[in-house]
């Protein structure tokens, strides 16, 4: 691994923050694009005359492309850096939203979601790379959480202004406006973001405690890099942590939360939007707390933070489902807060990936990790839609609380699977780094 001992980078602090600010603003827009369909799911079903499976297919295709692109994006980031990859990503999202704005049919809308997923896949890993190359290493966990917190504001933008714009204008104007923002941010990214500080000729990360500068660049054989990343149990622990923690909240916010709250629970749109807003705000509040605990408890992140967050989600989810009749409003707010723990807890996965992988495969390992949560989310979204259709409750007119009770059981096996593999890979990781003795055969 290339490294040299120098004093910390002399780049002005403001320049690093400017680069990060533009990057995280692009991430906010990416989140807005990602969740735009969830905020107007009922309107989308009416526009395309779509049943639950078809509506779920929009989100599933988007997430499948997002998850499938994570490893290629990681390899490209390791090779070319953040600036060009983010620029292309913003343009792809703009093309996707413009296609969605003009789409006359389900088939064209699916193409739009493919473009959207491909562009979205580039943004978050690229911003994490900017954190690694522009900020000292010890700021990593806090900056990752901070990036996630600010990015979640995109969900609020999709939930309130975007939905209000749709109700005040038309489908074409609304999604065309978002496409225009994508083009604007592609220009900002190209003009302002730089892969690394100007006094360096390569992406670097600096540890200000030791003064060691590590060059962040890809391995020549990227296939070796992917295999090497997955071979380390720390990367697999990161993958399963990200697989298990956020997917229920993602499925809820991305597609099924609003129909569940309005059609099944009987809430009006304002109360449903309030609950989803609490989910977003709670995630933003919990982020710094969990990030600081992750820094203080590096050897107990899974047991003390990730698994408790999963447990809280499961308990709240099951309680809402087993109650006879609609859940009381206060309990739905509790569910929103419980689901909100998944986002900050999932960020711990990137701490694992960064800790257990050398800098030359940083983005590759991040891509492997980031794929986990979105693979789980697309499975959950599709299974919920399929379960609704099987029960004959596949359209907004036929949604019922009893149908959602059955459909919302689909996440439970995913949680159980994830918990099992977190425990397995945590043990393997502790053995690998010498914290636990190796098992005798």
């Amino acid at each position: 691994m290339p490294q040299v001992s120098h004093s910390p980078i002399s780049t002005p602090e403001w320049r690093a923050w400017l680069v990060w600010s533009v990057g995280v603003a692009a991430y906010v827009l990416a989140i807005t694009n990602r969740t735009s369909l969830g905020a107007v799911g009922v309107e989308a079903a009416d526009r395309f005359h779509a049943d639950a499976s078809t509506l779920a297919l929009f989100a599933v295709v988007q997430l499948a492309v997002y998850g499938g692109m994570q490893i290629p994006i990681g390899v490209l980031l390791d090779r070319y850096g953040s600036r060009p990859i983010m620029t292309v990503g913003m343009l792809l999202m703009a093309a996707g939203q413009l296609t969605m704005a003009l789409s006359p049919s389900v088939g064209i809308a699916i193409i739009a979601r493919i473009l959207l997923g491909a562009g979205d896949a580039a943004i978050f890993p690229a911003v994490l790379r900017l954190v690694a190359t522009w900020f000292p290493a010890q700021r990593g966990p806090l900056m990752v959480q901070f990036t996630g917190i600010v990015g979640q504001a995109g969900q609020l933008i999709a939930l309130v202004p975007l939905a209000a714009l749709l109700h005040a204008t038309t489908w074409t104007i609304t999604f065309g406006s978002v496409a225009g923002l994508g083009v604007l941010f592609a220009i900002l990214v190209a003009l302002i973001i730089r892969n690394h500080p100007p006094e360096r000729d390569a992406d670097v990360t600096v540890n200000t405690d030791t003064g060691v500068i590590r060059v962040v660049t890809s391995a020549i054989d990227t296939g070796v890099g992917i295999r090497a990343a997955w071979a380390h149990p720390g990367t697999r622990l990161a993958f399963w942590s990200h697989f298990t923690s956020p997917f229920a909240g993602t499925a809820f916010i991305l597609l099924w939360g609003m129909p569940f709250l309005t059609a099944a629970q009987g809430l009006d749109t304002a109360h449903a939007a309030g609950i989803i807003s609490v989910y977003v705000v709670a995630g933003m509040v919990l982020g710094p707390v969990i990030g600081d605990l992750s820094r203080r408890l590096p050897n107990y992140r899974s047991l003390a933070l990730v698994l408790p967050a999963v447990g809280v989600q499961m308990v709240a989810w099951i309680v809402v489902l087993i109650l006879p009749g609609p859940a009381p409003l206060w309990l739905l707010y509790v569910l929103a807060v419980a689901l909100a723990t998944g986002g900050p807890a999932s960020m711990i996965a990137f701490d694992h990936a960064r800790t257990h992988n050398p800098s030359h495969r940083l983005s590759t390992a991040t891509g492997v990790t980031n794929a986990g949560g979105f693979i789980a989310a697309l499975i959950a979204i599709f299974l919920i839609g399929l379960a609704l259709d099987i029960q004959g409750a596949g359209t907004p007119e036929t949604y019922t609380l009893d149908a959602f009770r059955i459909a919302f059981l689909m996440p439970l096996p995913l949680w159980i699977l994830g918990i099992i593999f977190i425990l397995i890979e945590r043990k393997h990781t502790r053995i690998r780094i010498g914290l636990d003795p190796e098992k005798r055969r």
Side-chain angles (χ1 to χ4, degrees), residues 365-392:
T366 298
V368 171
T369 300
N370 204 25
F374 293 94
I375 291 172
L378 71 88
I379 294 172
I381 288 171
F382 176 74
L383 290 179
I384 289 171
L386 182 62
L388 287 171
D389 275 346
I390 290 174
Q391 297 174 83

Side-chain angles (χ1 to χ4, degrees), residues 225-236:
I226 295 170
R227 291 194 297 271
W230 184 255
H232 198 294
T235 304
R236 300 196 298 271

Side-chain angles (χ1 to χ4, degrees), residues 334-414:
V334 170
L335 174 63
V337 174
L339 293 177
T341 64
S346 72
M347 293 296 170
I348 293 172
F350 299 109
D351 294 337
H352 288 310
R354 185 175 55 253
T355 300
H356 299 296
N357 284 277
S359 59
H360 66 273
R361 60 171 188 254
L362 172 67
S363 293
T364 302
T366 298
V368 171
T369 300
N370 204 25
F374 293 94
I375 291 172
L378 71 88
I379 294 172
I381 288 171
F382 176 74
L383 290 179
I384 289 171
L386 182 62
L388 287 171
D389 275 346
I390 290 174
Q391 297 174 83
T395 62
E397 296 77 19
T398 57
Y399 290 154
T400 66
L401 179 56
D402 288 338
F404 267 101
R405 287 189 206 280
I406 301 299
F408 271 24
L409 294 176
M410 298 300 106
L412 295 181
L414 297 175

Side-chain angles (χ1 to χ4, degrees), residues 142-235:
L142 182 59
M143 288 301 298
V144 169
Q145 287 288 349
F146 196 26
T147 299
I149 291 166
V150 178
Q152 297 316 303
Q155 298 182 18
L156 293 177
I157 295 172
L159 183 65
V160 182
L162 188 69
L165 181 61
L166 177 60
H167 295 149
T169 59
T170 65
W171 181 276
T172 300
I173 292 174
T174 299
F175 285 90
S177 299
V178 179
L181 284 176
V183 174
L184 173 62
F185 271 85
I187 295 171
L188 286 175
V189 166
L191 291 177
I192 296 175
I193 285 182
R194 294 294 181 269
N195 289 344
H196 47 74
E199 64 270 24
R200 304 294 172 193
D201 58 3
D203 289 8
V204 297
T205 180
V206 180
N207 188 325
T208 54
D209 292 333
T210 63
V212 171
I213 299 173
R214 297 180 182 273
V215 177
V216 182
T217 184
S218 68
I220 295 175
D221 187 342
T222 54
V224 171
I226 295 170
R227 291 194 297 271
W230 184 255
H232 198 294
T235 304

